[in-house]
Amino acid sequence: MSHKHPYVSEKNEGKPLFEWGVLVLVIVSAVLAGLGHTMAATAVFAATAIITGLIRLILKDRSPWKIRSVGFDAFIGITLGIGLLVVYFSIRLMM
């Protein structure tokens, strides 16, 4: 019987420094939104999502940003960023 314990992904994947950097950008986006700068907040958040998705897609297993599979991470990041921009600008056009 093997006594190998399965790894918890959070301990073995990703790079904490990169993840803290993403957190800082999300906080910056929230502060900008709170101050009424919604365009800047949306741009920071969307750029962060798109860049993390592209990093995961390009670097694959060497990526500092790992949540699930390469395809899932890239798809969610890139489409979240694009979707946020599309929704923001469509709302602006309706005003």
Side-chain angles (χ1 to χ4, degrees):
M1 179 179 204
S2 176
H3 294 290
K4 291 184 180 180
H5 191 280
Y7 288 114
V8 177
S9 63
E10 289 83 6
K11 287 187 177 183
N12 296 317
E13 295 183 358
K15 300 285 186 255
L17 187 59
F18 185 83
E19 292 168 356
W20 281 105
V22 170
L23 176 64
V24 167
L25 290 172
V26 170
I27 291 170
V28 166
S29 179
V31 168
L32 286 169
L35 294 173
H37 303 288
T38 55
M39 180 182 267
T42 304
V44 169
F45 198 92
T48 302
I50 292 169
I51 290 169
T52 57
L54 289 173
I55 287 172
R56 182 71 164 123
L57 184 63
I58 293 166
L59 296 179
K60 299 196 185 322
D61 288 331
R62 296 176 296 133
S63 171
W65 182 254
K66 295 179 183 178
I67 300 170
R68 298 280 178 199
S69 68
V70 172
F72 177 85
D73 293 347
F75 176 78
I76 294 297
I78 294 167
T79 55
L80 172 66
I82 293 170
L84 285 171
L85 292 172
V86 167
V87 169
Y88 179 80
F89 287 113
S90 67
I91 291 171
R92 296 279 300 203
L93 288 173
M94 292 184 343
M95 295 174 130

